[in-house]
Amino acid sequence: MTHGIIEILIPRPNTATVTKLGNDSTGSIGGSPFKTINGAISAINSVAATGITILVYPGVYDETVVMPPGNSLRGIDPLTVTIRKQNVTASTTLLTMGENTRVEDLNLMLTSTNHVSLIGVAFPGTTSQTAKLRSTTIIVDNSTASAAGTSNVYGIHSFGTGNPDGSISAVKAVNTIVKSTGLGNKRALLVNTNAHTIHCRDINLIVTRVSGAGSYIGAEVNQAGAQLDLFLAFVQGVTADISQIAGTLTLGSTNLQNSNANNLGFTALLQPSTIIWADQGRLPNNTTHFYRPGTAPVSTTEVFIRLSQKAIIKSLSVRSLTGPGTSITDTWTVRKNGVNTPLTLSMTGTQTSGINNNVSVTFQAGDSLSLAVTTGGNTNTTDSVIQIDIF
């Protein structure tokens, strides 16, 4: 009598099966299983095959993966299939997306006890347009390294040249967690190097810090001409949740855990809440006054608005019927708890409108918001209307 489980090998055309009991020497596409993911990839690369699904059965696979163009990689279940590299001692990228590839239903884990460059998933070339990462958890962790060391640690790094339209999301239903310590740049998602676009939705981006004075940011774009779109996202950083150093960062239905945009601007897809101040008449000369919410003359007494929850104040906009006049400059300043912030805007001469989209200020629950204007000389500014956005 035969006991146990007997597997009947059924041909699986266009499928490279990977199991822990497989054999890379006897494995074949559509036939016997491979033991490693790279065994299957080697077979695919040897004949430049496309249209192959690498189907991975439960287990932990200790290897790095570079996806062959035109193929897919799928775990049989995201709870039981893990690709990992532990305690690496050299700079390592765990998964590199290939052109026209799809990766889904996996756990990805990359760890180190040293300060080396770590990348969970890389999007090079035009893969932000042609490749898709789905239903995956990414953990990149060197939190046990020394607090005095320096390393760059990224969950997802997009640095290619792809420019997809809005219908193509390179990353969807993905949890990315970066745990680190020490100095250097720590990012759950970083977009840089080339002008390109990457769309992400249903994504969690979390960066935690054990110790150290590095830069710990959930999502950052810092390349001119680059664009990062986050829709239905949760973002949490230590230094800041998001940072738009250069390029464009657009948020839609996104929760910033700490309401911190690194004191920089960003774009909100949905119309944010606003506060409007207006003064009917001519501003006083050569002095500092304060606006009152709604429509009322400016006052020498500072008037505060108390915020009931944490928020980001951004996009200071000013319009007036007439400008300050020749050689005269008027400056509007958002104030936090009675102190000037970097969110300011100046108009000079005949200028009657302006907007500052490049600065943001974080307010905590209970903080007070006010607006000051400092006029220069014999100003002619009349009928001024000021608006800010609250995210």
Side-chain angles (χ1 to χ4, degrees):
M1 179 180 294
T2 301
H3 298 277
I5 298 174
I6 300 175
E7 179 180 0
I8 300 175
L9 183 61
I10 301 174
R12 301 179 177 93
N14 299 320
T15 302
T17 303
V18 179
T19 74
K20 297 301 293 182
L21 296 178
N23 188 315
D24 287 346
S25 298
T26 60
S28 63
I29 299 172
S32 298
F34 297 90
K35 183 177 180 63
T36 67
I37 297 168
N38 277 291
I41 289 175
S42 294
I44 291 171
N45 287 336
S46 68
V47 293
T50 60
I52 306 300
T53 293
I54 302 170
L55 184 62
V56 186
Y57 277 76
V60 176
Y61 298 84
D62 290 296
E63 46 190 316
T64 61
V65 174
V66 178
M67 282 299 296
N71 299 281
S72 68
L73 171 65
R74 183 173 187 176
I76 200 72
D77 190 298
L79 293 177
T80 58
V81 179
T82 298
I83 299 173
R84 75 177 184 189
K85 291 294 289 186
Q86 289 186 299
N87 301 324
V88 299
T89 57
S91 298
T92 302
T93 298
L94 186 61
L95 169 65
T96 301
M97 301 298 290
E99 302 292 344
N100 296 298
T101 60
R102 183 182 180 102
V103 175
E104 58 190 324
D105 296 338
L106 297 168
N107 291 304
L108 303 176
M109 182 177 295
L110 176 61
T111 70
S112 179
T113 58
N114 300 291
H115 281 288
V116 294
S117 296
L118 303 176
I119 300 173
V121 180
F123 280 84
T126 62
T127 54
S128 67
Q129 179 175 342
T130 67
K132 294 178 176 62
L133 179 65
R134 299 287 187 267
S135 303
T136 294
T137 296
I138 304 166
I139 297 175
V140 184
D141 186 349
N142 74 334
S143 59
T144 60
S146 68
T150 301
S151 57
N152 293 332
V153 182
Y154 309 141
I156 299 173
H157 186 198
S158 182
F159 53 90
T161 57
N163 282 295
D165 61 37
S167 67
I168 299 174
S169 294
V171 182
K172 183 178 180 181
V174 171
N175 293 324
T176 303
I177 301 171
V178 168
K179 303 176 182 179
S180 193
T181 189
L183 304 172
N185 295 324
K186 326 294 183 172
R187 306 288 185 266
L189 172 55
L190 174 65
V191 178
N192 67 0
T193 308
N194 293 298
H196 70 290
T197 299
I198 183 167
H199 303 301
C200 308
R201 66 182 302 115
D202 303 321
I203 183 172
N204 295 327
L205 302 168
I206 299 170
V207 176
T208 64
R209 175 176 63 193
V210 172
S211 61
S215 175
Y216 292 70
I217 297 176
E220 178 179 280
V221 54
N222 65 13
Q223 176 65 43
Q227 179 173 335
L228 168 61
D229 293 339
L230 298 176
F231 305 136
L232 299 173
F234 173 88
V235 189
Q236 177 182 334
V238 180
T239 305
D241 297 321
I242 60 171
S243 181
Q244 179 186 271
I245 301 293
T248 302
L249 199 163
T250 301
L251 306 181
S253 300
T254 291
N255 178 15
L256 303 182
Q257 175 66 15
N258 299 303
S259 293
N260 190 324
N262 207 22
N263 298 323
L264 300 170
F266 60 95
T267 299
L269 186 65
L270 300 178
Q271 181 66 35
S273 300
T274 61
I275 293 179
I276 296 175
W277 297 268
D279 175 90
Q280 288 183 307
R282 182 172 171 176
L283 291 177
N285 296 327
N286 201 28
T287 185
T288 295
H289 276 66
F290 302 95
Y291 280 80
R292 306 178 191 183
T295 302
V298 295
S299 170
T300 56
T301 301
E302 189 164 9
V303 180
F304 295 99
I305 300 171
R306 181 184 178 278
L307 299 185
S308 60
Q309 60 186 12
K310 63 185 178 182
I312 298 175
I313 305 298
K314 60 184 286 289
S315 299
L316 174 61
S317 172
V318 178
R319 286 184 175 273
S320 62
L321 183 62
T322 58
T326 304
S327 301
I328 298 175
T329 299
D330 295 338
T331 300
W332 289 261
T333 303
V334 171
R335 289 165 60 86
K336 175 181 175 181
N337 298 329
V339 178
N340 288 348
T341 74
L343 185 51
T344 68
L345 187 142
S346 295
M347 296 199 309
T348 302
T350 60
Q351 185 180 357
T352 58
S353 66
I355 185 169
N356 183 349
N357 266 326
N358 299 318
V359 176
S360 64
V361 181
T362 297
F363 282 68
Q364 299 298 327
D367 282 345
S368 295
L369 166 69
S370 57
L371 177 71
V373 61
T374 301
T375 55
N378 190 24
T379 183
N380 291 314
T381 298
T382 58
D383 294 346
S384 53
V385 178
I386 298 87
Q387 175 178 316
I388 59 168
D389 292 346
I390 305 176
F391 184 89

